[in-house]
Amino acid sequence: MNYATIKYNDIANGTGVRTSLFVSGCTHKCKGCFNSEAWDFNYGKPFDKDVQEKILASIDNYFIDGLSLLGGEPFEPENQIELYPFLLEFKKRFPNKTIWCYTGYLFDKELLGNSRANISITKDMLSLIDVLVDGRFIEAQKNISLQFRGSENQRIIDVKKSLEKGEVVDYDLRY
């Protein structure tokens, strides 16, 4: 897997101060995407052990609230295979810090339903994620006043509560 960029001390992609990893590779190709260069799976640099350690080291600060995954598309099957062990290590080292993930796939219909994105580790990967912003970016529904999302169709989901209840539970941004 390659990554397009890493943003340290990011305040735009989740609550608090975060490290944000933008992975490469996306098959959605949403019109008006802000990061279209990352559609190419070969774009950027390899997501190797050194990069992973640098990301984890950046999170090992009292003022960092967690990790955000963006793309490209973190839930492309080939990206899940690389991200899942990294997320396991993140949760092992930082059990009290959160993971936010942005995906064009719908949580209930595609990630948990019948789609190419639902592979053998998808539910396990979801169980490590605290907040999921789901849904493809739709340029006609773009709204720059929305918090943590780009278009009105996108949802901010509390993954743990949703998996527990078996239905989509909105994340309470008042936390």
Side-chain angles (χ1 to χ4, degrees):
M1 181 183 91
N2 280 359
Y3 71 95
T5 193
I6 300 165
K7 289 186 180 179
Y8 300 99
N9 303 319
D10 186 7
I11 59 169
N13 295 299
T15 54
V17 182
R18 319 184 67 72
T19 295
S20 294
L21 169 66
F22 292 76
V23 303
S24 295
C26 183
T27 58
H28 302 308
K29 298 186 167 121
C30 301
K31 182 181 177 190
C33 174
F34 79 98
N35 200 16
S36 59
E37 62 274 357
W39 293 350
D40 181 352
F41 285 87
N42 296 311
Y43 180 78
K45 299 175 185 169
F47 186 62
D48 59 24
K49 291 291 181 199
D50 288 339
V51 170
Q52 293 175 35
E53 282 302 320
K54 188 174 179 185
I55 291 169
L56 293 169
S58 78
I59 293 165
D60 194 12
N61 284 296
Y62 74 93
F63 63 89
I64 299 294
D65 294 287
L67 172 71
S68 293
L69 302 172
L70 304 95
E73 172 58 69
F75 276 96
E76 291 293 357
E78 48 271 77
N79 289 344
Q80 288 183 57
I81 291 165
E82 297 292 324
L83 287 170
Y84 178 60
F86 175 68
L87 297 182
L88 283 170
E89 183 62 26
F90 171 91
K91 283 298 188 178
K92 180 178 155 189
R93 291 191 196 183
F94 309 111
N96 298 318
K97 295 193 181 206
T98 60
I99 298 173
W100 277 57
C101 182
Y102 289 75
T103 180
Y105 291 106
L106 295 174
F107 172 75
D108 45 345
K109 296 181 177 141
E110 294 173 295
L111 295 179
L112 293 177
N114 186 16
S115 82
R116 68 178 293 280
N118 187 349
I119 62 173
S120 63
I121 59 170
T122 303
K123 193 166 184 181
D124 293 329
M125 185 163 144
L126 281 167
S127 73
L128 299 171
I129 294 169
D130 299 283
V131 180
L132 187 77
V133 180
D134 82 340
R136 289 164 179 77
F137 173 74
I138 299 175
E139 193 170 42
Q141 293 182 29
K142 180 179 179 178
N143 183 340
I144 61 170
S145 69
L146 296 172
Q147 196 172 19
F148 304 122
R149 53 201 168 121
S151 59
E152 293 176 359
N153 62 297
Q154 294 172 317
R155 304 178 293 183
I156 303 175
I157 298 170
D158 185 319
V159 178
K160 306 244 183 280
K161 287 182 182 175
S162 297
L163 290 173
E164 208 174 89
K165 288 189 164 192
E167 64 185 43
V168 174
V169 176
D170 292 335
Y171 179 72
D172 186 351
L173 285 170
R174 294 175 295 169
Y175 287 129

